[in-house]
Amino acid sequence: IMAGVCAPMVVLDNGGGYCKAGFAGHKNPLVVVPNCMGRPQSTKKWVIADQLQQCDDIAGITLRRPFDRGYLINPDLQKEIWDRIFKNLLKIRPSDSSGLLLVEPLFNLPSIQRATDELVFEDLGFQSLYVADSPSLVHLYEASRSPISLLARTQCSLVVDCGFSFTHAAPVYQNFTINYGVKRIDLGGKALTNYFKELVSYRAINMMDETYIMDDVKEKLCFVSLDVARDLEVARKPGNENLIRSTYVLPDGIKHKRGFVKDPEGARRYLSLQEKGALPTDSQENSREHDISQIVEIVEDKKDEASIRNEELKLTNERFLVPEMLFHPADLGMNQAGLAECIVRAINSCHPHLHPVLFSSIILTGGSSLFPHMKARLEQELRPLVCDDYKVKIVTQEEPMLGAWRGGSLLAASPEFESLCVTKADYEEIGSARCRRRFMH
């Protein structure tokens, strides 16, 4: 740590799943680490943030998170994680930095805001603070990327943030989130992983305690179906005809400490057929059978000899039924609208003059938007719900998990940014509640 040298403004996107941290003006964060701590079965020692990523013994790992259902519930644990990020990874003293831009969840409760301010100013010692929400920063970054686009010219967009705890559809106008128009689905990456664990545990191996492993399986093998009925039919087919079936080899703690997809090319084959519109019809099945059996024979030859049957997860319709919950939460017993209807409701909450612009400037962001075919399926679901006169255009971010951080980096590097911040002196003089009014969201 360089004492006496004033560090640049720190930008921290404090998500429920991952913390993204770095310095203003940079394109990418220097640190992307899990916002949690874990304790492996083999030891009583807790590992935190980046240590968890480097940990070999991930089977049966116990996780503790400072966030629950999208909100900060354990400030002490959050302080430990932030301490690790600032002092060990970014190598700064918060008291020596210019300040902190913090990305916070929408509609944070006043009690959580007070606890956060106390953490930033009193425990860590930052000299200034600016709090922003994710949709406005995502919009700012996308507008800067394409300055002649409709989104940038109108300064208006609808940000669909499929995050760890929630999925939000948030209208943004003139770089401010229109709070009364924000609609939310109580489903995010965490709920999808939990549902995935239940499906797999019921059908195959008990994976209820393997959150970390099932997150990896979800990220590597799940996809969004473009035709659920057709894909269910394909998933029911036996043996070689089932193009959806994939195998994930679980870690054994000896030969391989991390799980992996047995045949990655085979797992992607069905997705590429969907993209090309080359899925076989019933009349083509017989002529393709020989080709498919040859492909499967090659795959069988490549099998890892050391893997034992009970160390493998064989997945079929689970691959697309898990992301399907974002479009049909009612299938999980949740009395909530799906993603397409949530978007329409958010836009209809705004002034009618904004409707055509919002429908043609939808930004898809957040970790759960990384499922293959997410954009195509959302367009497919939205089109029947939208007036024929309106154009529907969805923009996907190049790295959806970093969109809010990159917007924060741009904002914090702007010349007038320091005048927007609340200083430690302001906080000590007038308190948290009055300071927060300056952020206007």
Side-chain angles (χ1 to χ4, degrees), residues 75-92:
D76 293 334
L77 176 54
Q78 190 66 82
K79 179 181 181 296
E80 283 188 59
I81 295 168
W82 284 2
D83 268 337
R84 175 80 189 169
I85 290 171
F86 297 138
K87 293 174 183 174
N88 295 76
L89 303 178
L90 292 184
K91 299 192 184 328
I92 60 159

Side-chain angles (χ1 to χ4, degrees), residues 7-14 20-24 82 85-86 90 92-104 116-117 119-121 124-132 405 408 411-412 417-418 420-424 436 439:
M9 185 69 67
V10 178
V11 180
L12 174 65
D13 180 2
N14 195 50
K20 286 77 72 176
F23 297 115
W82 284 2
I85 290 171
F86 297 138
L90 292 184
I92 60 159
R93 281 198 187 99
S95 56
D96 292 337
S97 71
S98 298
L100 174 68
L101 184 150
L102 178 65
V103 185
E104 202 176 61
T116 303
D117 292 348
L119 192 55
V120 170
F121 287 121
L124 294 172
F126 277 101
Q127 297 304 303
S128 66
L129 170 68
Y130 183 84
V131 177
W405 189 91
L411 178 61
F417 177 71
E418 283 191 29
L420 304 174
C421 295
V422 166
T423 65
K424 191 173 183 180
R436 285 277 175 158
F439 303 136

Side-chain angles (χ1 to χ4, degrees), residues 272-281 284 288:
S272 60
L273 287 172
Q274 272 192 320
E275 285 162 10
K276 296 171 187 171
L279 287 171
T281 60
Q284 293 171 319
R288 289 181 57 86

Side-chain angles (χ1 to χ4, degrees), residues 181-237:
V182 176
K183 303 299 174 191
R184 184 175 86 186
I185 306 172
D186 294 332
L187 266 179
K190 184 181 180 182
L192 295 184
T193 300
N194 289 340
Y195 178 56
F196 197 14
K197 287 192 295 186
E198 286 179 21
L199 275 181
V200 170
S201 299
Y202 178 72
R203 296 180 180 184
I205 305 169
N206 185 0
M207 299 294 289
M208 292 305 290
D209 295 329
E210 303 291 357
T211 303
Y212 209 71
I213 293 174
M214 291 309 295
D215 263 334
D216 189 51
V217 182
K218 179 187 75 175
E219 289 164 14
K220 288 178 178 171
L221 286 177
C222 285
F223 66 91
V224 173
S225 170
L226 297 178
D227 186 337
V228 178
R230 179 199 64 201
D231 289 349
L232 281 170
E233 284 299 318
V234 175
R236 285 192 191 103
K237 291 183 178 179

Side-chain angles (χ1 to χ4, degrees), residues 151-170:
L151 181 152
R153 285 184 283 122
T154 58
Q155 280 300 302
C156 182
S157 69
L158 183 89
V159 177
V160 180
D161 187 354
C162 304
F164 180 76
S165 305
F166 299 129
T167 297
H168 285 105

